[in-house]
Every structure is written in structure tokens, then in C-alpha cells.
Amino acid sequence: MKVSIVIGSKTDMELAEAAGEVLNQLDIKCSINVLSAHRMPEYLQEHIKATIADGTRVFIGIAGMAAHLAGNIAAHTSLPVIGVPGDGGPLNGLDALLSTVQMPKGVPVATVAIGKAGAINAGHLAAQILSVNDEALQERIKEARIANKEQLKAENDELQGIWSILDTNR
């Protein structure tokens, strides 16, 4: 296992799966666990210790509302922690963003965007962190970026074809 994705509740599963999909595509092992920082702190602490012993090198903490999960993980390890603010709740993730990004000095959490885009970027950021000493992973990341560029180029070509047809019909 290389990346541990921890969510505060099952309602964050869609975001965890988005991050996990990126990691799986890059052939990076990951796990997903529901471990609330507030409702089961002793289980979270035990998970951190156990997964580090099992080879985890990066944590992704995903939670909405107060979203203290990533900060709680960071308080218990010096390994990189990426926080993903969930987009639920009455403030649509703004509260989660502020509580994830506003960490005290000396206990950093790399914070990405609110919601699914942030979860996807958390997967990419975790991969980049792990790639520092892994040239094969660096190559897979480059290939994924090229594939993304080619997909967008194909979408644009298709759109231009549609506009070309519409323009000639005027």
C-alpha cells in the first residue's frame, strides 16, 4: 500500500473513489477507510500507525463540514497529507475548505479544491509526491498527461466538426 485515503463518513465515498481511480490508473496501491476524526479518533490513530508500517507514504483526508480529518492525520504523522474539502453541507464546502487549509504552523496539510475536482487532483498530487524517487511512476504520470491532452484535442476536433457543419448550413 502506498496511499491511504481516509474519509470522515460514507457520504464522502464518491470523492474517495475519484482519487482512488487516478491512483489505480497510475498503478499505485491505495486503500479507502471510513474513520471519523471526531467520532473514532483512537481508530484513526491506529490506522495511521498500521498503514505506515504496511508501506503507506501519503495520506489523503477527505471530509466535509468541519473537515478536521486531514489535520488530525497530519498531527499524527510527518508523512505528506493531502486534504480534500467535501462539497456537502449548508456552506457547500466553504467551511471544509477553511478548516482544511487553516493549519497551525509546523503541521502542514496540502489542500486541493473543494469536491470532485479536488479529489482527482489529490490523486494526481499523491502520485507526484510518490514519483520523486520513482522514474517509472514519473513516466506513467507523463503518459497520463499526454493521454489527457489527446482526449481534449479529440473533443475539440469533434466540436469544430460540429460547428463547421452548422456554419455551412446557415
Side-chain angles (χ1 to χ4, degrees):
M1 185 178 339
K2 297 266 187 176
V3 178
S4 171
I5 302 170
V6 182
I7 56 179
S9 69
K10 194 174 177 183
T11 59
D12 300 314
M13 185 59 78
E14 180 183 348
L15 300 179
E17 289 172 345
E21 184 177 323
V22 170
L23 296 168
N24 287 332
Q25 289 172 352
L26 293 169
D27 198 28
I28 297 170
K29 294 178 183 178
C30 66
S31 66
I32 299 174
N33 290 275
V34 178
L35 298 164
S36 170
H38 298 99
R39 294 172 281 182
M40 49 194 311
E42 65 280 358
Y43 291 103
L44 178 60
Q45 289 176 23
E46 184 55 38
H47 170 76
I48 294 166
K49 290 177 192 173
T51 56
I52 290 171
D54 194 35
T56 289
R57 294 296 169 254
V58 178
F59 288 88
I60 298 174
I62 304 173
M65 306 291 284
H68 196 53
L69 181 59
N72 197 293
I73 295 168
H76 292 94
T77 182
S78 59
L79 293 175
V81 177
I82 303 166
V84 180
D87 53 5
L91 299 179
N92 298 317
L94 184 58
D95 52 344
L97 172 65
L98 293 175
S99 63
T100 304
V101 76
Q102 293 290 9
M103 290 296 297
K105 62 184 176 183
V107 189
V109 169
T111 307
V112 294
I114 297 169
K116 188 171 182 180
I120 291 169
N121 276 342
H124 285 288
L125 181 56
Q128 288 177 288
I129 292 167
L130 292 171
S131 77
V132 169
N133 293 314
D134 186 336
E135 289 183 22
L137 179 54
Q138 290 173 18
E139 189 60 35
R140 292 194 303 273
I141 291 169
K142 287 178 190 175
E143 290 170 4
R145 286 186 176 190
I146 291 168
N148 187 33
K149 178 175 68 173
E150 293 301 319
Q151 178 186 351
L152 290 173
K153 184 180 180 307
E155 290 173 8
N156 183 58
D157 291 347
E158 180 182 342
L159 179 63
Q160 296 312 308
I162 292 169
W163 277 107
S164 171
I165 293 168
L166 291 174
D167 196 37
T168 59
N169 290 334
R170 288 185 186 202

